[in-house]
Amino acid sequence: MNHPSILDHLSLAYAPLLGRWREMAGVRLKLLPSGHQPRPDAEGLLRVLAEAWGSPGAVSPEAPPTAPPAPMLLDIAGSTWAQGLLDLPIPSWMGLALPATVAQDPLLLEQVRAARAAGVWIAARARSWEQVPEAARDCFADLILEAEDGLASGPRFGRNTWVEGARTLAEVDGCFERGARGMIGWPREAEPSAGRDIRAEVPVVVDLMNRVERQEPLENLERALKTDPTLVFRLLRYINSAALGLKVEVTALRQALMLLGYLPLLRWLSRMLLDAAAKEAASRPLVHLSVRRGFLMERLGAVSGHPVEAQEMFLCGMFSLLDVLLQRPLGELVATLPLPERVRASLLEQDGPYSLHLRWVEAVEGSSPSAIREVLGALRISPRAANLAVLQGLAAARDLDG
């Protein structure tokens, strides 16, 4: 794959697009330029996005009515990037988020209008629909506003409003009650509970049972398992339990599957299915975030030349929100699971071997270019490698969602 130099001159950040049923509806990919570029390489950017992200189809006709019309929303700042991208054919799997101020430029507004007429999904970033000039509102299908602005607005949101930056689940619920189409990002907060049991998603368990019955290759089973961090947690804890009496600790998924075998795995999954039926829908966004953390860290290890450590980085990212998911201290949860020492240290200590990698994921989620650059400098990883890790990790997680 030929990667244009554009990846050396920007940082990519992401946030999930989540619907009112807590379903993963897509991703917002934010472009954070890292220096002055008088002529941004818009064509190179689209090429590398297509190569790394692939060509996912449009939203399914069976998708919820609140689902966005494209699975990727590319968020850009400034008129220069907007002009460059709007001069090009935008693929059907991509939408554009633009500042509402583009409507003040007559030439740029005509580009936006032409793109909308061609079927491109375009959202305006503003503090309210009233901030978008009335004559230009038909150019934007959706509005993106900050939760702080949304909470200060009237009793109902305007049409097709996405809210970003909600800090609590109460704010999320309030936004949906006032008519929000969806959320961009999700608070790191679980539903109030005295501490959850560790359950797996019903669809994941059913899919795995079908795969086991067909005796699919172990790599297929491992791939399917990675869609749910709590299921990985339970499997590794089970395989190392006293009931099985193994002589060595098992810390890798593939090893656990080889030792367990198809029939015992099927019996174990049958028990998991009973537990899975009671899983709260509200925890699904945290599962989505955990999965993506795992893949982003895994890809960062792989593209930076550390394939062995990449497998451990996946576990580190996957389990980094386990305490929020289950509302139990992370130290207590990690103590029950034999993890590689480097993973354990990275989850529990600020200076663990993968702690900086985890900080990088958090910076990517927080759209902080300065934090991203600081961590990558400490890790001696190039912006290009990190940006590839973002794209490849998101693509891998998206493929598992499907």
Side-chain angles (χ1 to χ4, degrees), residues 17-20 66 161-164 175-176 179-184:
L17 301 177
L18 293 152
R20 64 172 52 251
T66 56
T161 299
W162 293 82
V163 182
E164 180 177 10
C175 290
F176 281 128
R181 182 176 190 177
M183 306 300 296
I184 300 179

Side-chain angles (χ1 to χ4, degrees), residues 4-136:
S5 60
I6 182 60
L7 291 184
D8 289 320
H9 304 292
L10 55 84
S11 296
L12 296 177
Y14 104 94
L17 301 177
L18 293 152
R20 64 172 52 251
W21 307 115
R22 276 58 174 174
E23 76 278 7
M24 184 76 184
V27 296
R28 191 276 306 274
L29 192 67
K30 198 166 189 176
L31 207 63
L32 306 171
S34 56
H36 179 64
Q37 285 185 295
R39 297 185 62 184
D41 184 7
E43 186 175 0
L45 176 66
L46 288 184
R47 183 165 62 251
V48 76
L49 289 178
E51 289 176 344
W53 179 255
S55 300
V59 173
S60 162
E62 292 78 25
T66 56
M72 177 191 282
L73 181 63
L74 184 64
D75 193 331
I76 57 178
S79 59
T80 307
W81 269 105
Q83 289 172 344
L85 287 165
L86 290 169
D87 274 340
L88 302 170
I90 304 298
S92 61
W93 46 267
M94 179 188 293
L96 295 177
L98 306 173
T101 53
V102 300
Q104 299 171 3
D105 184 329
L107 295 178
L108 190 52
L109 182 59
E110 285 307 307
Q111 285 183 290
V112 174
R113 196 180 300 279
R116 280 291 295 143
V120 178
W121 175 37
I122 301 181
R125 276 189 281 102
R127 301 187 67 175
S128 68
W129 272 113
E130 286 66 32
Q131 272 205 333
V132 182
E134 187 172 357

Side-chain angles (χ1 to χ4, degrees), residues 239-319:
I239 198 72
N240 287 284
S241 66
L244 292 186
L246 297 179
K247 301 298 184 182
V248 295
E249 287 188 343
V250 179
T251 60
L253 281 179
R254 184 73 60 87
Q255 184 186 10
L257 293 171
M258 290 176 63
L259 289 171
L260 197 56
Y262 286 104
L263 186 57
L265 178 60
L266 187 60
R267 289 198 298 265
W268 180 79
L269 286 169
S270 299
R271 294 198 301 273
M272 294 302 99
L273 185 60
L274 297 178
D275 292 338
K279 187 174 176 71
E280 300 90 342
S283 66
R284 290 174 188 160
L286 293 175
V287 173
H288 292 312
L289 285 167
S290 298
V291 170
R292 278 152 184 79
R293 282 189 172 193
F295 275 113
L296 261 64
M297 287 186 65
E298 179 186 62
R299 292 307 193 271
L300 187 68
V303 299
S304 57
H306 301 286
V308 176
E309 289 86 348
Q311 299 179 37
E312 295 185 351
M313 290 183 197
F314 178 88
L315 290 175
C316 186
M318 180 77 106
F319 289 143

